[in-house]
Amino acid sequence: MTSLRRNDYDVVVVGSGVAGLATALGLAGLCRVAVVTGTTLGCGSTSWAQGGLAAALGPDDSAALHTADTMSAGAGFGDLAATQVLAEAAPTSLAELLRIGTRLDRDPAGRLALTREGGHSIRRVVHAGGDASGAEVSRALTAAVRRDDIDVFEHADVREVLTSPAGAATGITFWGVDGVLTTVRAATVVLATGGVGGLFAASTNPPEVRGSGLGLALRAGAALVDLEFIQFHPTALDLDGTTGQVPLITEALRGEGAVLRDERGRSVMAGRHPLADLAPRDVVARRIDAVRSAGGRVWLDATGVADVAHRFPTVVTSCRAHGIDPAREPIPVAPAQHFLCGGVRTDTWGATDVPQLFAVGETAATGVHGANRLASNSLVEGLVFGRRVATRIALNLPTASAPSTRTTSSSRAVEVDQPSLGQIRQTLHRAAGIRRTGAGLATAASELTSGAGNEWLAAAAIVAAAAERRESRGCHWRDDHPAASNLWQGRRVVVRLGADGRPVASTESTEQHHSSLGRTA
């Protein structure tokens, strides 16, 4: 962990994925900024992303078309204004990546190579290293942060967002690897802690990503929204029940002609959706789940994809490690938890309803993803909104009035009545997976009745939100309410911390979404 070089900061960013690093870089040189991360810098979910970055770069593309595809994939539930912000700023974000030295794939003419993925009506996805986009983006951003001499605290377990008597964020506390509790005072706090994959039995995310930002935000007084919309990627490597982090089989393979087949070699998506294998992820994931629930298995046949080993080295390496050669045989696939479409409620500048507390990236819910995220919008979202958060903070930098940073010698506290992480994972896998029921969610809620810690809060909040939305929409599917209901159109599920310390879900209209955000202390 980096030694403390200053007594306090103007801004502390919690998380070091694409969104957190983009925010920190946007503030570098303008104020005193620190990054606090639970891993080694640059080793979060971003580095595992195989998908690319969606941006309207082609002559036949436009921000309007990108917006339309994003809204369609989100089952019509996305926030139009936020989606337009994303689509219009995406090309500039890619230009900024190139400026800091990111190596993006190019075609023989030297132009950025554009590919197509599920839900996109046109080729607009830029990759790096074929299927190693996240790793390259993370490398470039991490190098830029180190060049700008931004203070970084690694392997930190952040436990609390500190607030003033007026309710504004004033810093954080974290446990270091040395078992010492450290308090970092800052005039502004930015949560960029990623998603919730580590709370599920099988996920494409690293196990350290466990929804801590959701718990931190709840404890600070912020609201969470859209937590029921959890995306399951349809094609993770199926390793006969293996749990934990499972290898992702990128959607770009299907964009290049790979086909999902059943045990008899029949296409499992033919006739199921106009886009067939390139249908939105929720549609494909439910179809694969249905085949598996009936006792079958599904394979991704990429044997017809030209030069697959060169173009998709990450996938091929993962498969060969398990004795599978994608160039010669189909790849066994199954859905796995992949992305949180909701999160901490924010406006389009990252402001939450707690003064001086911002959220960005997968931790945040701007409304861009609606009920289901469009492929390759996540890295771009982190870049676009990370820059916007930095801009908003820089325009209104407050004067830090908190005491100097202090370090105490307290030993790590033992959290009592805390369900084990293994119990939480099994509970969410069983009750809050691809298919849900009211009875299953009620049982899950009873299993999570008491606990402590940010991970428990995040899990209980997910269950409460999924139980509250009694319809099926996007990647939230209720077997007991299998249709989208007009009664729920335009209604958002909001989770807040109740008086008893448990998450409580309620509904409000989407018009209320930004009504209380962006306040200052």
Side-chain angles (χ1 to χ4, degrees):
M1 184 172 67
T2 303
S3 60
L4 188 61
R5 284 181 279 176
R6 298 190 178 96
N7 289 331
D8 54 57
Y9 293 88
D10 295 306
V11 182
V12 60
V13 178
V14 184
S16 63
V18 58
L21 296 184
T23 302
L25 286 170
L27 291 166
L30 301 176
C31 62
R32 297 166 299 170
V33 58
V35 173
V36 179
T37 178
T39 63
T40 301
L41 186 66
C43 291
S45 294
T46 294
S47 61
W48 290 95
Q50 292 181 13
L53 302 101
L57 300 174
D60 53 351
D61 202 359
S62 66
L65 189 54
H66 187 181
T67 296
D69 285 349
T70 300
M71 293 291 290
S72 177
F77 198 68
D79 183 279
L80 179 60
T83 304
Q84 289 172 331
V85 165
L86 175 77
E88 290 168 4
T92 300
S93 291
L94 263 65
E96 176 64 15
L97 278 182
L98 292 171
R99 187 191 68 79
I100 66 171
T102 311
R103 299 183 290 261
L104 300 178
D105 295 346
R106 297 183 179 272
D107 63 21
R111 298 168 300 212
L112 290 176
L114 303 179
T115 64
R116 185 181 175 194
E117 295 180 2
H120 291 274
S121 60
I122 200 168
R123 286 178 172 263
R124 69 162 62 91
V125 180
V126 176
H127 287 262
D131 57 2
S133 302
E136 173 58 15
V137 168
S138 185
R139 180 204 65 78
L141 290 173
T142 298
V145 164
R146 296 200 186 281
R147 285 196 301 270
D148 282 348
D149 197 31
I150 294 170
D151 285 5
V152 177
F153 300 88
E154 298 176 317
H155 305 292
D157 181 11
V158 180
R159 302 315 296 168
E160 183 182 12
V161 172
L162 303 174
T163 55
S164 70
T170 59
I172 62 170
T173 61
F174 68 84
W175 292 103
V177 292
D178 54 3
V180 173
L181 180 64
T182 298
T183 300
V184 176
R185 301 287 180 175
T188 301
V189 176
V190 181
L191 298 177
T193 54
V196 296
L199 298 178
F200 284 78
S203 174
T204 62
N205 301 168
E208 297 84 6
V209 180
R210 300 195 293 263
S212 63
L214 305 183
L216 290 168
L218 278 176
R219 292 182 190 279
L224 313 179
V225 294
D226 300 343
L227 297 186
E228 65 272 33
F229 298 123
I230 295 178
Q231 186 178 82
F232 289 78
H233 199 289
T235 56
L237 187 60
D238 182 10
L239 299 174
D240 295 323
T242 297
T243 58
Q245 185 179 10
V246 293
L248 177 68
I249 307 299
T250 178
E251 200 158 17
L253 274 167
R254 282 176 279 142
E256 296 303 313
V259 178
L260 290 162
R261 302 189 185 280
D262 63 15
E263 292 168 308
R264 296 173 59 182
R266 300 173 299 188
S267 169
V268 301
M269 290 303 301
R272 301 286 174 170
H273 190 277
L275 293 176
D277 291 274
L278 291 177
R281 287 175 174 174
D282 63 306
V283 176
V284 182
R286 280 197 298 274
R287 173 58 181 153
I288 295 176
D289 181 69
V291 172
R292 290 171 56 80
S293 296
R297 293 187 72 184
V298 175
W299 283 263
L300 181 65
D301 183 0
T303 57
V305 176
D307 201 14
V308 66
H310 176 73
R311 297 170 66 192
F312 300 97
T314 305
V315 167
V316 171
T317 298
S318 295
C319 289
R320 286 177 175 170
H322 297 279
I324 303 163
D325 183 357
R328 299 176 180 274
E329 58 189 320
I331 306 166
V333 294
Q337 191 282 336
H338 185 60
F339 191 85
L340 174 65
C341 296
V344 184
R345 182 170 66 173
T346 71
D347 65 11
T348 58
W349 295 96
T352 74
D353 43 13
V354 172
Q356 306 309 138
L357 179 65
F358 291 75
V360 66
E362 193 173 352
T363 309
T366 61
V368 161
H369 305 302
N372 182 47
R373 176 172 69 81
L374 180 66
S376 288
N377 265 354
S378 59
L379 294 178
V380 167
E381 179 197 24
L383 293 167
V384 168
F385 288 94
R387 175 61 69 172
R388 287 175 69 84
V389 168
T391 299
R392 170 68 178 272
I393 293 171
L395 289 173
N396 189 32
L397 277 172
T399 301
S401 58
S404 298
T405 302
R406 68 179 185 273
T407 301
T408 72
S409 59
S410 304
S411 59
R412 184 183 295 268
V414 176
E415 293 173 339
V416 296
D417 298 326
Q418 168 81 340
S420 72
L421 187 56
Q423 290 173 318
I424 290 174
R425 286 170 173 162
Q426 289 305 315
T427 295
L428 292 189
H429 174 75
R430 183 181 66 253
I434 294 176
R435 296 175 179 274
R436 304 156 179 187
T437 65
L441 290 164
T443 299
S446 67
E447 293 173 358
L448 298 170
T449 297
S450 63
N454 296 315
E455 293 77 12
W456 166 77
L457 271 177
I462 290 168
V463 169
E468 179 73 6
R469 182 171 289 277
R470 294 176 295 279
E471 66 157 356
S472 292
R473 187 182 297 271
C475 52
H476 170 67
W477 184 272
R478 289 278 298 261
D479 279 344
D480 50 349
H481 297 284
S485 169
N486 289 334
L487 296 176
W488 284 91
Q489 180 66 37
R491 298 186 70 193
R492 174 166 266 124
V493 175
V494 182
V495 179
R496 297 181 176 87
L497 199 62
D500 61 355
R502 286 181 48 78
V504 177
S506 61
T507 59
E508 63 183 38
S509 70
T510 53
E511 285 74 20
Q512 294 174 270
H513 179 54
H514 300 319
S515 61
S516 63
L517 305 182
R519 296 180 290 115
T520 57

